[in-house]
Amino acid sequence: MSGAGGTTAARQATGAGDIPVDTPRVPAREAAESELSKPMYHENDPNMLQSGLNHFWDWVAGVFDAAAGAAPGGPAGLAVLALILIGLAAALWWRLGIPQRSSRAPDALFESDGPRSAAQHRAAADAHAAALRWTEAVQERMRAIVRSLEERALLDPRPGRTADEAATEAGRALPAHAARLRSAARDFEDVTYGGRTAGQPTYLALRALDTELDEAKPVLPGASRGAAG
């Protein structure tokens, strides 16, 4: 009896232990998250910057791994391709030089390589004309005209002045030549910025204007009022 009773009691105990304990999932998860959020578990974690750098380098490594898999020859082929690209970049840098910002206005009359005299611009214009480079000859002759007016104090030297501005200002002191000055400025801008090619007649017209302006007498402000008085 006692044996049977003991067996029965053991079975009842075993049966009671087989019943699963139903622990709610949400409170358990919250308890775990609360425990893991304590500072003691994160003392050795990387900071935000280090974490970001780690993600970045992981991404770079993934990109190179993908490129190495796609490149002929695997990693060795990728290394050769990288060397070729570096060589091309170095060649372009050597050929083009360091990019420099120019202080010259996009449509300024004079280049930014230092001032030259009217005589120097005329000599350059004649040299271009002798070589039948009419576009360059027109450009240099227009610069000679404006530089000559500056040397005669009929125009104030001003960096960044355009050909049209110079013609308008010079036309006030030389009204008899105002229309031709504006025409010369248009020719300069057409061949310099408009993509037009100049010809010999255009250059000869500017050279004749340069010669006439060199001999022309300006009309000074108030001269007509003084003559009338």
Side-chain angles (χ1 to χ4, degrees):
M1 294 293 293
S2 60
T7 303
T8 303
R11 289 177 179 176
Q12 290 176 350
T14 304
D18 289 340
I19 299 174
V21 178
D22 187 10
T23 304
R25 294 182 180 179
V26 174
R29 185 177 68 247
E30 292 178 349
E33 291 176 351
S34 176
E35 178 66 21
L36 293 175
S37 65
K38 293 180 179 180
M40 59 182 294
Y41 295 105
H42 302 279
E43 292 178 352
N44 298 321
D45 287 355
N47 56 31
M48 293 182 63
L49 177 60
Q50 185 62 44
S51 178
L53 288 175
N54 290 340
H55 285 299
F56 172 74
W57 289 119
D58 289 343
W59 174 80
V60 171
V63 170
F64 273 94
D65 289 343
L78 180 61
V80 172
L81 180 60
L83 291 175
I84 292 174
L85 292 176
I86 293 173
L88 290 175
L92 287 173
W93 186 274
W94 177 82
R95 177 67 179 83
L96 301 178
I98 300 175
Q100 297 180 351
R101 294 182 60 186
S102 175
S103 59
R104 189 173 68 94
D107 54 351
L109 178 63
F110 294 101
E111 301 289 345
S112 58
D113 56 352
R116 292 192 293 171
S117 66
Q120 289 175 314
H121 285 295
R122 288 184 181 116
D126 290 338
H128 286 305
L132 305 182
R133 295 189 294 265
W134 302 115
T135 295
E136 292 83 354
V138 165
Q139 291 170 330
E140 288 299 321
R141 183 60 66 168
M142 184 63 192
R143 291 169 181 144
I145 290 174
V146 175
R147 184 68 78 205
S148 176
L149 294 173
E150 291 177 349
E151 291 172 354
R152 294 171 61 191
L154 298 180
L155 287 177
D156 294 328
R158 189 173 78 243
R161 174 189 277 128
T162 66
D164 184 66
E165 291 171 345
T168 301
E169 295 171 18
R172 300 190 187 105
L174 300 165
H177 299 84
R180 294 175 65 192
L181 280 166
R182 288 193 298 271
S183 177
R186 284 194 300 270
D187 290 334
F188 174 87
E189 293 179 347
D190 286 345
V191 300
T192 304
Y193 311 112
R196 202 190 80 183
T197 302
Q200 183 181 20
T202 303
Y203 174 71
L204 294 178
L206 261 71
R207 190 177 66 178
L209 176 62
D210 186 19
T211 301
E212 293 178 23
L213 290 174
D214 200 40
E215 300 172 354
K217 296 186 181 300
V219 175
L220 301 178
S224 59
R225 292 195 299 269

